[in-house]
Amino acid sequence: MSKIVKDEELYQEMCRVVGKVVLEMRDLGQEPKHVVIAGVVRTSLANQKMKRSELTTEAMERVVKALAPQQ
């Protein structure tokens, strides 16, 4: 698989992950701020009981890095 195809698949998965969180937050009446989205994804990622593909795990890690404030 070429790097371009892999990068596109990763980007699409990142968009799916963020979109799902934003829609769930909206349904709960919460404002989807970037820090909160990162926290939700980080918490979900910490749940080791969930089976995820390597692509999803990498996408979630990159979402957290992109949205969380640098410390």
Side-chain angles (χ1 to χ4, degrees):
M1 181 182 315
S2 75
K3 179 164 174 33
I4 293 173
V5 171
K6 183 178 182 220
D7 288 348
E8 178 63 24
E9 287 180 356
L10 179 60
Y11 176 77
Q12 292 298 323
E13 186 65 7
M14 290 171 70
C15 291
R16 187 193 68 76
V17 166
V18 171
K20 183 177 179 183
V21 171
V22 168
L23 291 174
E24 288 177 8
M25 290 177 70
R26 183 206 59 200
D27 290 346
L28 295 171
Q30 297 178 345
E31 188 175 342
K33 295 182 178 182
H34 71 281
V35 174
V36 178
I37 295 168
V40 170
V41 175
R42 184 183 298 115
T43 300
S44 180
L45 193 55
N47 181 357
Q48 297 297 318
K49 293 178 183 177
M50 288 286 299
K51 299 224 184 246
R52 296 180 187 89
S53 69
E54 288 182 34
L55 179 64
T56 299
T57 300
E58 184 178 358
M60 292 172 78
E61 290 169 349
R62 290 199 181 201
V63 164
V64 170
K65 286 179 185 176
L67 296 179
Q70 300 298 319
Q71 297 176 358

